[in-house]
């Protein structure tokens, strides 16, 4: 039972596409990540995933459209929906997703990281 | 699948202790609430509850201590733990909790509102 200061947690890491776990509740995890560049197309079969923008502008590409998210906006990607996050400049995001969520769904890629660190 | 802008949602209501549902994922709900004054002592038997501070300073009183939360800080109150939110000035919070969560747990009070509106 400790409070979490988002800015302090972000100061503890600088790499991209490597979410850190900063909270757990009801089988869900709260994660912080720095994103920069283009991620890979993927989906999560059984998990809805929430992207909350802490800093910067994130685009999320879907097969039929693109969404642009700015600070203090969020988007929930429903389970099964293919998506690809794109960060032209560095973005700080907070993620909410079930603890079971695989980083890149069924896709395997050099960016895939399913051993995420607790901060 | 629409993005949610937190500030725009907060502009749509002004009352206190009346959370609005702004997102749902994995059986959980994302809610926004304006808090002002002292809430009542309560706990949620089976639900962990996350308070994320969007604006202002929120105190959460526990039976053995007090936590003070500022903007962009969050706190997860574990299931079963009695707590009492206190907002000396108005606070804007984002809540994450299971859809099953009762507003004031087993307590009944004039502030109790279990028919929360979707915004």
């Amino acid at each position: 039972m400790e409070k979490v200061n988002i800015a302090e947690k972000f100061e503890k890491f600088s790499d991209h596409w490597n979410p850190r776990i900063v909270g757990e509740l009801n089988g869900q995890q709260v994660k912080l990540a720095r994103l920069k560049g283009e991620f890979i197309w993927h989906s999560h079969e059984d998990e809805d995933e929430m992207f909350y923008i802490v800093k910067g502008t994130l685009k999320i590409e879907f097969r039929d459209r693109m969404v642009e998210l700015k600070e203090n906006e969020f988007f929930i990607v429903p389970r099964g929906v293919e998506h690809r996050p794109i960060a032209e400049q560095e973005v700080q995001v907070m993620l909410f997703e079930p603890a079971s969520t695989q980083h890149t769904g069924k896709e395997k890629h050099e960016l895939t990281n399913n051993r995420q660190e607790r901060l």
Side-chain angles (χ1 to χ4, degrees), chain A residues 1 8 16 23-25 28 31 46 57 80 85 87 105-107 115:
Chain A
M1 294 227 312
E8 286 175 8
H16 299 122
E24 299 203 56
L25 69 166
Q28 318 292 307
K31 300 175 180 181
D46 298 313
T57 300
K106 286 182 178 167
E107 310 302 321
R115 292 168 160 267

Side-chain angles (χ1 to χ4, degrees), chain A residues 84-102:
Chain A
R84 186 167 76 111
I86 300 170
E88 290 169 4
Q89 306 292 324
E90 189 187 73
V91 182
Q92 294 180 3
V93 297
M94 182 164 60
L95 304 167
F96 292 86
E97 55 190 27
S100 59
T101 307
Q102 300 289 298

Side-chain angles (χ1 to χ4, degrees), chain A residues 59-70:
Chain A
K59 293 180 179 172
I60 304 181
E61 193 178 356
F62 298 96
R63 291 300 186 185
D64 61 348
R65 63 171 174 146
M66 179 89 89
V67 171
E68 187 173 283
L69 304 174
K70 297 183 183 297

Side-chain angles (χ1 to χ4, degrees), chain A residues 24-42:
Chain A
E24 299 203 56
L25 69 166
N26 307 302
Q28 318 292 307
Q29 291 178 330
V30 186
K31 300 175 180 181
L32 299 179
R34 292 178 183 265
L35 312 182
K36 190 173 181 188
E38 300 188 354
F39 203 57
I40 61 166
W41 280 105
H42 69 287

Side-chain angles (χ1 to χ4, degrees), chain A residues 41-53:
Chain A
W41 280 105
H42 69 287
S43 64
H44 308 286
E45 200 167 354
D46 298 313
E47 294 95 356
D48 310 318
E49 185 175 34
M50 176 168 162
F51 292 79
Y52 182 95
I53 311 303

